[in-house]
Amino acid sequence: QVQLVESGGGLVQAGDSLRLSCAASGRTFSSYAMGWFRQAPGKEREFVAAISYTGLGTDYADSVKGRFTISRDNARNTVYLQMNSLKAEDRAVYYCAASKYALSSRPTGDFASWGQGTQVTVSS
């Protein structure tokens, strides 16, 4: 079992940047992929980005491609989501998740553990 704790959320203006962090403990961090998801009020949880166990493979939702960057530091057991050029529609609770697998994927069912979420609010 993996325990995940997100941090870095907050209130920003449109066009600003934020970096989310997610610290993991439990299973060997370098053995599984990680993902970021988000859930806006009244909407279903959606995939944002994922990164493979080595960090060499990444995947992004079209809505964030070119603005968000996922990365990981296996020495620190931490995954990051750098969010640039934030838009009002990026407002959501952001969750990090630990995959059951080594390579990145999108389905929520591929992820075994979830953090508690961190709120990101973007004012326009």
Side-chain angles (χ1 to χ4, degrees):
Q1 189 73 356
V2 176
Q3 291 75 48
L4 302 170
V5 179
E6 302 101 334
S7 61
L11 171 62
V12 296
Q13 293 187 332
D16 286 351
S17 299
L18 271 179
R19 188 176 81 156
L20 305 183
S21 300
C22 173
S25 60
R27 283 168 57 203
T28 303
F29 183 71
S30 58
S31 67
Y32 52 88
M34 292 291 296
W36 285 96
F37 292 76
R38 67 186 181 186
Q39 188 166 17
K43 295 188 177 181
E44 294 189 353
R45 191 170 299 189
E46 65 173 1
F47 170 81
V48 175
I51 188 166
S52 67
Y53 72 113
T54 61
L56 296 179
T58 57
D59 184 25
Y60 297 93
D62 287 345
S63 58
V64 306
K65 198 173 294 182
R67 300 188 298 122
F68 290 11
T69 303
I70 188 171
S71 62
R72 65 189 296 159
D73 184 340
N74 286 347
R76 296 180 182 270
N77 291 357
T78 301
V79 64
Y80 304 97
L81 185 68
Q82 178 67 42
M83 305 185 294
N84 298 330
S85 302
L86 282 161
K87 305 175 180 179
E89 52 263 42
D90 294 319
R91 176 192 177 192
V93 177
Y94 283 72
Y95 299 89
C96 69
S99 177
K100 303 173 186 176
Y101 312 113
L103 300 182
S104 63
S105 59
R106 297 189 176 199
T108 56
D110 285 358
F111 293 82
S113 301
W114 296 80
Q116 82 288 351
T118 186
Q119 177 72 50
V120 172
T121 302
V122 184
S123 64
S124 56

